[in-house]
Amino acid sequence: MEYNFREIEKKWQKRWADNKTYQVTEDETKPKFYVLNMFPYPSGAGLHVGHPLGYIASDIYARYKRLQGFNVLNPMGYDAYGLPAEQYAIQTGQHPAITTKENIDRYRGQLDKIGFSFDWNREIRTCEPEYYHWTQWAFQKMFNSYYCNDAKQARPIEELIEVFQKQGSKDLNAACSEELHFTAEEWNSKTEKEQQEILMNYRIAYLGETMVNWCPQLGTVLANDEVVDGVSERGGFPVVQKKMRQWCLRVSAYAQRLLDGLDTIDWTDSLKETQKNWIGRSEGAEIQFKVKDSDLEFTIFTTRADTMFGVTFMVLAPESELVSQLTTDAQKAEVDAYLERTKKRTERERIADRSVTGVFSGSYAVNPFTGEAVPVWISDYVLAGYGTGAIMAVPAHDSRDYAFAKHFGLEIRPLVEGCDVSEESFDAKEGVVCNSPRKGAVPYCDLSLNGLTIKEAIEATKKYVREHNLGRVKVNFRLRDAIFSRQRYWGEPFPVYYKEGMPYMIPENCLPLELPEVAKFLPTETGEPPLGHAVKWAWDTANNRVVENEKIDNKTVYPLELNTMPGFAGSSAYYLRYMDPRNHQALVDKKTDEYWRNVDLYVGGTEHATGHLIYSRFWNKFLYDLGVSVTEEPFQKLVNQGMIQGRSNFVYRIKDTNTFVSLNLKDKYDTTPLHVDVNIVSNDVLDIEAFKAWRPEYATAEFVLEDDGKYICGWAVEKMSKSMFNVVNPDMIVEKYGADTLRMYEMFLGPVEQSKPWDTNGIDGVHRFIKKFWSLFYDRNGNYLVTDEPPTKEELKSLHKLIKKVTGDIEQFSYNTSISAFMICVNELFGMKCSKKEILNQFVVVLAPFAPHVCEELWETMGNTESVCDAEWPACKEEYLVEDTVNYTVSFNGKARFNMEFPADATPDAIQADVLADERSAKWIEGKNIAKVIVVPKKIVNIVVK
Ligand code: ANZ
């Protein structure tokens, strides 16, 4: 019988579906293991061979764990809301729900062909009301919670209201947007609206005034990475910085816990480092400066409190509220012009750009340590959203302050008098390096920092600041709150209506609030988001239902929110929903949650290092505070799969002609390289007829060929993308070689974590391996070869070497070396003509995670009645690996002369006797005396002759 992969794969895919082989339930008798892939956004282009790389890697692990007796959860679903479907809808008028469904069906068809062990019963789609019910629910919980810094957890907002009623904001230690001070009486005498405004300052989901990248032409806020050089990445429209009231999530409240949690999880060091930098913890001090000749005061944040004596000016962020307060009339025109200019720049550009710009405010601030007045400047190198948005500048010791001072001719004053402050003496890290002792006590301040290290000096200064009430010790984080509103259609609607301009939540039991239909997917003429086109988008509080907008009376019927949630909303807790995807009462049932707990192995791309992987950790911690999630960290181990790059092919057109010249002749002409579809190129040889048929303009193309009549294409490794015509569709590979070959080949390409080009040149080898494996079971004439004969020692050794290697490799995600081990073992068994059931049964089990279809088939052939998925992973028996003989190098006077085999248990005396008796020794001993014989067990025998 031939290896007919098409029939075999079809048969087993059907059998698995019919028998629900991959359906999993909570089984208390077995330990659980939860494997998860970052779920895909189903794009219109379908899957290319790069996409399944991570899925195959995790599938192998899932199958391996199941064979080891674990109850494995391996679900799959779709991140189905998103921009491309909406853009497509705008262009074509097709409803995004329809295109999304089509794309999902296509993905599913492709995935099914690869033989994954997904439990499709648990599929989720983030755009389904059944799913986003719980996204909306979590949002409402965040709205109704605040973060208590003492308890270090989210607490119900009612608790805060109670505190305000009793004692106002006194002794409050809660995460907030702004420090507010009020008494109980003040609170109690406020109107409902005023109280709601105050609570907004503490809610974990809150409406906040934030600076956003606003693109008027697109009518939406854009994320930082969607803005390039001040224009939108899509369309190139101008983007401005605008203050807008937007939904935000108070992620910053969790900064310390997000940092601490990293120590408890098994992620790569580089990923942890990226998150640490993103969170950006920084210990420092907030110090108050009085404004000269005024009652005003402002606070700066510094990590170098010890540099107070080197302050020569102050700088405010352009967006700081202080700017208008401190700008003098004389400076107003200049300041306004400056503000107008900086408005156009995004924060990211401001961080990256090191050119110096700024303007003097006209005011002076008084250094509380020296009593000296220094000028207050405004510059966009100070960021509004960090620290207090104001700094004290110490140009002698900070490089940006230094550049600023140089540019504007401001004083540069080192901490030690008489230091050289020229450009050459400035070190970007250390500032001006002065080796003499620090400046001592100065008039007005009795603090001496003489002889202290920088660290000690910082601590001493902070102590002084505290004791003299000049400020406070402060830990700052770079991590910002997440902006959670999008002016888009294809996203989760907010379960929110507005009364007197303040948001209210629709009752929890009315969730989900379904996305309404709209006539157009564009912003409205008045600049409202697309939901502004909906005609039935008002909340009737008397009947608790959605009603027509015309019924809005602002007494019982109110307008609903027009923004939708961003892409990361639906992906922030999907791993919890897989545990219990059809539960209508809760996000996840408590008992079920306690069984699955968290994801043991998460596989996905590094591009999510600071987005999804921060948001979902935050979201999970919030749910943990609520008692919903049972572990604080959602993803225990994380593996980043590398990217599969495309291997592009090129043809060379002679300029201004329709003639194409082959690679090795192209230098004789003036040519332009053009991408050619890799699917009509084989081993870099162009299929000329297919090329002519590819595009109408090439139908009449002419060619300058190599001597052997071939057209050879050039090649390069690039991103796999449609525009480079280097996309390889897995369906084609499955069709030609089968899914088992595709799976093994993707793993054979190299380490999972590494990026590597797709290069089909080796795929035949992998396919041949499976065929050779098959031939251990059936000969060419279809005769079944498997026997019940007992295996030999050599055969057992070969098998157990394989078991040991593959077990170790899988644990390390080193699948490429496993594939080589399989090949070696098959060659060994082939050489020994081994078709013994005892050997092959175990081999099949070990190979099954990699090539499940062919293994199921052969497993069945050998008389097994249950699926190979439920076999037992074989244990490696070390006794089979012990070598029977040992190879010794025989040396004379330290020079290796020949080798001899000895039984592993031979004694040194026996070895010595045999070596000396060997005829080859005679030549080296001849005419000399044996002075000494040294036997190093299992290695060498050295004979010293004189
Ligand atoms: C004086 C000083 C002297 C500073 C010195 C540094 C070196 P990290 O570690 O990032 O927290 N800073 C404070 N707020 C800022 C803002 N909104 N925009 C830009 N820069 C700001 O850095 C904190 C330091 O960055 C602070 O310490 C402050 O400058 C500056 F030799 O104060 B330092």
Side-chain angles (χ1 to χ4, degrees):
M1 206 165 66
E2 278 241 316
Y3 167 48
N4 185 338
F5 59 84
R6 286 195 191 90
E7 259 174 40
I8 292 170
E9 294 184 357
K10 222 163 74 201
K11 166 180 163 184
W12 285 99
Q13 284 167 12
K14 180 166 184 317
R15 184 84 68 86
W16 291 330
D18 291 347
N19 293 351
K20 302 189 169 41
T21 306
Y22 302 123
Q23 198 165 312
V24 59
T25 51
E26 295 67 49
D27 178 351
E28 296 288 348
T29 65
K30 285 186 188 169
K32 69 97 186 184
F33 199 88
Y34 187 174
V35 176
L36 185 65
N37 294 286
M38 290 185 185
F39 62 168
Y41 172 77
S43 80
L47 288 177
H48 64 57
V49 288
H51 297 120
L53 182 80
Y55 307 158
I56 295 170
S58 58
D59 194 58
I60 291 171
Y61 205 81
R63 289 173 179 275
Y64 162 73
K65 280 299 204 186
R66 177 164 172 177
L67 289 166
Q68 283 198 325
F70 287 84
N71 189 30
V72 178
L73 176 56
N74 183 22
M76 189 42 114
Y78 304 97
D79 190 11
Y81 271 136
L83 212 54
E86 179 157 346
Q87 294 295 88
Y88 190 70
I90 292 170
Q91 285 157 18
T92 63
Q94 275 256 42
H95 198 291
I98 295 172
T99 47
T100 301
K101 184 173 178 315
E102 283 170 3
N103 294 347
I104 287 178
D105 289 346
R106 168 127 186 255
Y107 264 60
R108 176 66 192 271
Q110 289 186 292
L111 290 172
D112 279 349
K113 285 189 191 145
I114 306 177
F116 292 114
S117 61
F118 296 136
D119 177 1
W120 283 109
N121 231 17
R122 294 174 181 258
E123 184 203 278
I124 53 168
R125 301 178 180 191
T126 55
C127 66
E128 294 289 342
E130 181 192 47
Y131 179 84
Y132 67 66
H133 180 154
W134 301 102
T135 312
Q136 294 177 332
W137 171 85
F139 168 79
Q140 290 199 337
K141 292 283 176 211
M142 290 182 198
F143 180 80
N144 287 318
S145 304
Y146 78 104
Y147 193 85
C148 174
N149 288 331
D150 291 330
K152 295 192 175 60
Q153 60 167 210
R155 307 286 315 159
I157 198 89
E158 288 77 24
E159 286 184 10
L160 194 61
I161 298 175
E162 246 174 69
V163 170
F164 289 166
Q165 286 166 346
K166 288 204 192 105
Q167 60 187 62
S169 65
K170 190 166 155 285
D171 300 335
L172 184 67
N173 189 12
C176 58
S177 309
E178 201 186 335
E179 299 275 349
L180 300 176
H181 301 283
F182 52 86
T183 62
E185 294 73 52
E186 283 168 329
W187 168 265
N188 292 326
S189 64
K190 284 186 192 302
T191 63
E192 187 194 334
K193 185 170 172 182
E194 287 166 342
Q195 288 183 342
Q196 287 298 326
E197 287 282 7
I198 289 177
L199 291 174
M200 204 54 104
N201 190 49
Y202 302 96
R203 294 183 189 276
I204 290 181
Y206 65 95
L207 270 180
E209 292 275 350
T210 51
M211 277 303 201
V212 295
N213 303 313
W214 174 250
C215 179
Q217 266 94 333
L218 288 177
T220 188
V221 165
L222 295 173
N224 276 337
D225 52 345
E226 293 167 334
V227 184
V228 182
D229 296 331
V231 298
S232 64
E233 194 189 20
R234 269 169 196 270
F237 300 116
V239 174
V240 291
Q241 296 295 295
K242 184 171 160 184
K243 236 187 186 163
M244 274 178 74
R245 206 160 150 85
Q246 301 272 304
W247 283 108
C248 301
L249 302 184
R250 210 175 292 286
V251 180
S252 61
Y254 283 82
Q256 188 62 51
R257 281 169 62 187
L258 286 168
L259 200 59
D260 295 342
L262 292 174
D263 294 335
T264 68
I265 51 185
D266 185 9
W267 293 12
T268 61
D269 288 340
S270 76
L271 184 50
K272 285 187 186 184
E273 207 44 43
T274 307
Q275 290 221 334
K276 270 186 198 154
N277 290 335
W278 189 258
I279 297 165
R281 185 181 198 274
S282 158
E283 268 179 45
E286 283 187 350
I287 300 174
Q288 258 126 25
F289 280 70
K290 288 198 166 64
V291 178
K292 192 177 167 221
D293 303 328
S294 151
D295 294 338
L296 284 174
E297 234 184 18
F298 67 94
T299 310
I300 59 96
F301 173 69
T302 178
T303 45
R304 289 288 308 272
D306 63 310
T307 61
M308 284 298 287
F309 304 110
V311 176
T312 55
F313 59 101
M314 312 292 289
V315 188
L316 307 177
E319 298 83 1
S320 167
E321 284 168 9
L322 292 162
V323 168
S324 59
Q325 296 167 8
L326 297 195
T327 300
T328 59
D329 290 347
Q331 288 298 102
K332 189 162 183 333
E334 217 180 307
V335 169
D336 284 349
Y338 182 69
L339 296 186
E340 193 52 37
R341 257 200 299 148
T342 56
K343 227 188 198 171
K344 298 206 177 77
R345 284 152 48 98
T346 66
E347 185 162 295
R348 186 178 285 200
E349 285 171 326
R350 285 165 56 170
I351 294 172
D353 183 9
R354 299 197 71 97
S355 65
V356 179
T357 64
V359 61
F360 176 43
S361 72
S363 294
Y364 291 80
V366 181
N367 184 330
F369 278 47
T370 63
E372 182 188 17
V374 292
V376 181
W377 284 68
I378 298 156
S379 172
D380 69 1
Y381 79 89
V382 175
L383 306 172
Y386 187 65
T388 61
I391 67 157
M392 60 183 209
V394 187
H397 300 275
D398 178 279
S399 60
R400 305 212 60 178
D401 298 345
Y402 185 80
F404 195 85
K406 276 270 169 207
H407 188 86
F408 289 106
L410 298 163
E411 188 195 347
I412 298 168
R413 186 194 301 162
L415 292 174
V416 177
E417 269 167 312
C419 244
D420 172 16
V421 290
S422 65
E423 209 114 353
E424 297 74 54
S425 71
F426 194 89
D427 178 284
K429 242 180 158 173
E430 304 284 338
V432 170
V433 186
C434 311
N435 292 324
S436 43
R438 302 173 141 260
K439 185 169 176 145
V442 287
Y444 204 86
C445 167
D446 54 0
L447 174 67
S448 166
L449 302 177
N450 278 341
L452 301 184
T453 63
I454 292 186
K455 225 173 150 192
E456 289 164 349
I458 293 174
E459 288 315 311
T461 318
K462 285 206 283 204
K463 189 161 168 263
Y464 185 89
V465 166
R466 255 197 325 262
E467 284 169 2
H468 291 76
N469 255 335
L470 299 172
R472 61 173 178 164
V473 171
K474 181 81 202 286
V475 175
N476 262 336
F477 292 93
R478 254 172 219 289
L479 184 69
R480 306 293 166 79
D481 289 347
I483 298 176
F484 201 60
S485 306
R486 292 293 181 272
Q487 293 69 40
R488 288 284 168 188
Y489 174 71
W490 194 231
E492 298 83 352
F494 282 92
V496 172
Y497 64 90
Y498 284 88
K499 190 162 114 185
E500 287 188 58
M502 289 307 290
Y504 287 82
M505 297 295 122
I506 70 168
E508 191 178 314
N509 62 9
C510 298
L511 297 178
L513 176 68
E514 294 196 21
L515 186 66
E517 289 306 322
V518 291
K520 269 197 216 158
F521 303 108
L522 285 169
T524 67
E525 287 67 35
T526 51
E528 281 177 329
L531 291 193
H533 288 295
V535 289
K536 191 175 172 192
W537 197 235
W539 187 252
D540 177 347
T541 55
N543 299 301
N544 277 332
R545 59 194 185 97
V546 179
V547 295
E548 287 72 20
N549 296 2
E550 61 215 30
K551 300 208 173 111
I552 294 173
D553 58 8
N554 290 315
K555 292 193 185 88
T556 58
V557 180
Y558 299 95
L560 280 159
E561 167 73 60
L562 300 182
N563 287 298
T564 53
M565 297 185 193
F568 70 82
S571 56
S572 285
Y574 73 115
Y575 52 92
L576 286 171
R577 192 63 184 163
Y578 278 135
M579 296 176 185
D580 197 7
R582 309 285 169 256
N583 189 336
H584 293 288
Q585 268 64 54
L587 165 62
V588 47
D589 168 72
K590 192 82 201 149
K591 243 183 104 200
T592 308
D593 196 3
E594 264 158 17
Y595 180 74
W596 294 114
R597 304 183 72 80
N598 60 354
V599 176
D600 297 285
L601 171 68
Y602 197 25
V603 178
T606 38
E607 65 275 20
H608 300 290
T610 51
H612 163 62
L613 289 176
I614 289 275
Y615 298 132
S616 52
R617 290 182 63 221
F618 150 76
W619 201 288
N620 190 74
K621 284 179 193 299
F622 171 74
L623 293 176
Y624 176 79
D625 291 351
L626 240 55
V628 172
S629 184
V630 296
T631 57
E632 191 157 340
E633 286 294 334
F635 312 119
Q636 191 53 39
K637 181 176 175 67
L638 189 136
V639 172
N640 287 127
Q641 90 271 15
M643 280 235 292
I644 291 207
Q645 296 146 323
R647 190 175 182 281
S648 309
N649 276 120
F650 300 95
V651 289
Y652 302 91
R653 186 168 62 194
I654 302 176
K655 282 217 169 112
D656 305 320
T657 70
N658 204 14
T659 302
F660 295 83
V661 51
S662 185
L663 176 71
N664 300 313
L665 306 168
K666 79 173 175 29
D667 293 342
K668 295 186 185 150
Y669 303 85
D670 184 11
T671 59
T672 317
L674 297 169
H675 277 98
V676 59
D677 186 350
V678 293
N679 295 298
I680 56 173
V681 178
S682 170
N683 288 337
D684 294 334
V685 178
L686 180 71
D687 178 339
I688 292 180
E689 287 315 309
F691 180 72
K692 286 179 163 181
W694 184 39
R695 294 260 166 110
E697 66 264 35
Y698 298 153
T700 57
E702 294 184 21
F703 302 88
V704 180
L705 304 173
E706 307 282 337
D707 289 344
D708 59 1
K710 285 181 180 160
Y711 188 101
I712 308 289
C713 298
W715 62 274
V717 172
E718 299 175 302
K719 184 174 181 245
M720 195 171 274
S721 127
K722 252 174 144 181
S723 62
M724 313 223 183
F725 300 106
N726 61 7
V727 173
V728 181
N729 185 327
D731 299 4
M732 259 182 43
I733 307 284
V734 169
E735 180 53 36
K736 196 160 166 202
Y737 297 99
D740 287 335
T741 299
L742 171 76
R743 292 170 62 105
M744 291 195 79
Y745 187 59
E746 292 229 359
M747 296 301 105
F748 188 57
L749 279 174
V752 175
E753 294 96 334
Q754 223 169 62
S755 287
K756 55 233 157 191
W758 178 264
D759 180 353
T760 34
N761 290 341
I763 200 164
D764 287 314
V766 171
H767 190 63
R768 271 199 307 275
F769 154 76
I770 300 182
K771 278 186 165 163
K772 195 162 188 183
F773 179 54
W774 182 268
S775 73
L776 293 175
F777 295 77
Y778 291 99
D779 71 10
R780 252 181 240 172
N781 304 318
N783 298 315
Y784 186 56
L785 305 174
V786 181
T787 68
D788 286 329
E789 263 178 78
T792 65
K793 258 188 148 174
E794 278 309 298
E795 290 162 349
L796 283 166
K797 186 171 152 195
S798 184
L799 173 73
H800 283 266
K801 241 175 27 193
L802 177 76
I803 296 172
K804 184 170 181 176
K805 176 89 180 104
V806 175
T807 309
D809 282 353
I810 294 184
E811 292 290 356
Q812 305 290 321
F813 296 91
S814 176
Y815 299 141
N816 55 324
T817 53
S818 286
I819 312 270
S820 315
F822 284 126
M823 291 175 169
I824 292 169
C825 186
V826 161
N827 283 340
E828 286 175 358
L829 294 179
F830 202 79
M832 293 184 272
K833 295 200 166 36
C834 170
S835 289
K836 293 171 183 163
K837 191 167 168 182
E838 196 180 324
I839 299 288
L840 295 181
N841 242 333
Q842 295 188 55
F843 193 127
V844 163
V845 175
V846 180
L847 182 63
F850 297 80
H853 308 84
V854 68
C855 288
E856 282 279 24
E857 180 68 20
L858 294 171
W859 182 248
E860 189 183 54
T861 317
M862 286 188 289
N864 298 294
T865 47
E866 292 220 325
S867 162
V868 73
C869 298
D870 291 316
E872 196 178 317
W873 187 260
C876 165
K877 296 212 173 93
E878 291 287 340
E879 69 245 39
Y880 294 131
L881 302 183
V882 178
E883 300 282 346
D884 291 345
T885 58
V886 180
N887 198 329
Y888 280 80
T889 304
V890 180
S891 306
F892 291 84
N893 290 345
K895 278 216 172 80
R897 297 302 179 185
F898 55 89
N899 291 329
M900 277 179 87
E901 288 273 321
F902 288 101
D905 53 2
T907 63
D909 286 347
I911 292 173
Q912 178 174 340
D914 275 9
V915 167
L916 295 179
D918 194 276
E919 56 189 31
R920 287 169 294 181
S921 298
K923 183 177 157 196
W924 304 103
I925 300 172
E926 213 175 13
K928 293 178 186 142
N929 289 324
I930 298 171
K932 208 174 173 189
V933 178
I934 306 154
V935 177
V936 181
K938 303 214 184 320
K939 286 203 178 81
I940 55 166
V941 181
N942 188 27
I943 300 151
V944 182
V945 287
K946 279 183 181 154

